[in-house]
């Protein structure tokens, strides 16, 4: 049906994200020894402003996530919504920052692919087996469960089933929980994302939600971004072109979250450790600085908190 076609186009976006990250890693923007197992060397170059944009996106998410994990002394859970081929679990393991349990959710088709890659690449499977107490991993249909890492093939728009499956795999609603949606809500209708956001705030007492996506799309540049995505038949159900930094924040505040912060990615870029920014700006020459500015002003990161346990997560900042 047309729904399946639309979902298929959305699923293909996970490759786009990983191809771009893979290329930036190959150019030394940041280190990720695991991404090579998900995408072979990309044969297409990406423009310098794209690479810098991905650098800011990955750094920003890592900074906020690591701060949350440290504030809770790793006594927490992470739920990566629409995780695609993300490699964060392996990074956290290497940096001794593994939460009690790390969950990933994506469409069954993506999850099956990821499980296959994990099973067949020892550098990916080793950390999962090492942190697992029994000798066999539970693989059921389109999910895989271990003590510290669980991946679930499940549509994010069906919350009752999602909750049931998370519980089956040991979700503890009493533990501080970080939810991440990196370029995901934009593919879900505003109503469905609001439900997801509300479900999270009502399920966990101490929690943070990190959302990364497009913003300020009403101008010419924003229109071109949307047209480019639509040309690839992407179902941008959640692109509300009127979203501003303010409405991004309100979306959380109106759905049960106590505090919310937003920054456009240009502001984030300027707030990142400047020594590292200088390093990456030397990797590739970027002629037109305005290009980067324009691009990054159309993406934002929003992080909302609810802190009944007084862990100080409300103070997390760049
Ligand atoms: N978060 C990853 C990253 O940043 O590298 C992947 C981002 S990719 C642009 C969007 C991901 O969201 C895809 O893997 C897609 O399959 C997933 N996704 C979109 N809508 C979804 C839904 N309704 N249920 C489950 N996953 C969904």
């Amino acid at each position: 049906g047309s729904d399946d076609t639309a979902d298929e186009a959305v699923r293909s976006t996970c490759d786009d994200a990983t191809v771009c990250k893979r290329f930036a890693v190959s150019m030394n923007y940041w280190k990720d020894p695991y991404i090579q197992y998900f995408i072979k060397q990309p044969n297409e170059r990406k423009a310098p402003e794209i690479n810098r944009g991905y650098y800011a996106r990955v750094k920003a998410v890592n900074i906020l996530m690591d701060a949350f994990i440290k504030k809770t002394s790793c006594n927490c859970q992470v739920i990566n919504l629409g995780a695609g081929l993300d490699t964060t679990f392996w990074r956290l393991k290497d940096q001794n920052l593994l939460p009690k349990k790390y969950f990933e959710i994506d469409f069954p088709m993506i999850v099956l692919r990821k499980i296959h890659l994990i099973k067949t690449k020892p550098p990916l499977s080793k950390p999962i087996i090492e942190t697992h107490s029994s000798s066999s991993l539970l693989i059921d249909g389109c999910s895989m469960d271990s003590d510290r890492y669980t991946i679930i093939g499940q549509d994010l728009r069906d919350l009752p089933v999602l909750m049931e499956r998370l519980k089956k795999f040991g979700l503890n609603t009493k533990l501080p929980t970080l939810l991440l949606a990196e370029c995901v809500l934009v593919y879900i209708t505003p109503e469905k994302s609001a439900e997801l956001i509300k479900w999270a705030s009502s399920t966990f007492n101490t929690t943070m939600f990190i959302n990364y996506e497009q913003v300020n799309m009403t101008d010419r540049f924003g229109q071109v971004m949307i047209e480019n995505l639509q040309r690839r038949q992407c179902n941008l159900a959640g692109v509300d072109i009127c979203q501003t930094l303010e409405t991004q924040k309100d979306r959380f505040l109106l759905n049960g979250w106590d505090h919310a912060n937003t920054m456009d990615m240009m502001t984030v870029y300027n707030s990142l450790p400047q020594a590292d920014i200088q390093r990456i700006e030397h990797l590739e020459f970027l002629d037109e600085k305005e290009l980067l500015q324009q691009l990054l002003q159309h993406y934002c990161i929003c992080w909302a908190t609810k802190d009944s346990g007084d862990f100080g997560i409300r103070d997390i900042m760049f």
Side-chain angles (χ1 to χ4, degrees), residues 100-118:
K100 276 259 143 77
K101 198 146 184 176
Y102 189 94
F103 295 90
E104 293 189 333
I105 324 282
D106 209 299
F107 283 120
M109 221 184 278
I110 303 284
V111 164
L112 283 176
R113 237 177 88 198
K114 195 165 185 176
I115 292 176
H116 174 76
L117 289 168
I118 292 172

Side-chain angles (χ1 to χ4, degrees), residues 7-18 21 35 54 57-58 61 80-87 105-108 110-111 152-158 180-188 192 212 235:
D7 285 351
E8 179 50 39
V10 171
R11 283 191 288 269
S12 75
T13 63
C14 100
D15 284 326
D16 295 344
T18 310
K21 287 179 184 179
I35 201 157
Y54 269 91
R57 162 173 166 178
V58 168
V61 169
N80 191 338
L81 305 161
L85 302 174
D86 188 279
T87 56
I105 324 282
D106 209 299
F107 283 120
I110 303 284
V111 164
I152 305 175
Q154 168 64 43
D155 194 319
L156 292 168
R157 293 165 294 191
D158 188 349
L180 167 65
E182 186 183 329
C183 259
V184 172
L185 297 188
V186 69
Y187 303 107
I188 299 175
K192 284 288 171 191
Y212 174 92
N235 176 21

Side-chain angles (χ1 to χ4, degrees), residues 72-175:
T72 59
S73 312
C74 298
N75 203 10
C76 64
Q77 301 168 131
V78 172
I79 306 178
N80 191 338
L81 305 161
L85 302 174
D86 188 279
T87 56
T88 303
F89 168 81
W90 292 270
R91 177 183 74 80
L92 293 175
K93 165 80 168 58
D94 284 348
Q95 297 185 349
N96 274 319
L97 281 176
L98 260 203
K100 276 259 143 77
K101 198 146 184 176
Y102 189 94
F103 295 90
E104 293 189 333
I105 324 282
D106 209 299
F107 283 120
M109 221 184 278
I110 303 284
V111 164
L112 283 176
R113 237 177 88 198
K114 195 165 185 176
I115 292 176
H116 174 76
L117 289 168
I118 292 172
K119 282 201 300 192
T120 52
K121 315 271 180 193
L124 298 179
S125 52
K126 204 167 146 256
I128 295 177
I129 294 165
E130 261 175 27
T131 52
H132 189 58
S133 52
S134 103
S135 57
S136 61
L137 297 177
L138 175 65
I139 300 182
D140 112 54
C142 51
S143 327
M144 180 173 81
D145 180 48
S146 73
D147 288 357
R148 308 295 284 277
Y149 174 80
T150 295
I151 177 165
I152 305 175
Q154 168 64 43
D155 194 319
L156 292 168
R157 293 165 294 191
D158 188 349
L159 287 174
V161 177
L162 177 62
M163 186 61 177
E164 190 190 300
R165 304 195 68 196
L166 281 167
K167 282 215 158 133
K168 177 180 156 200
F169 293 126
L171 180 80
N172 178 354
T173 56
K174 306 237 155 48
L175 271 185

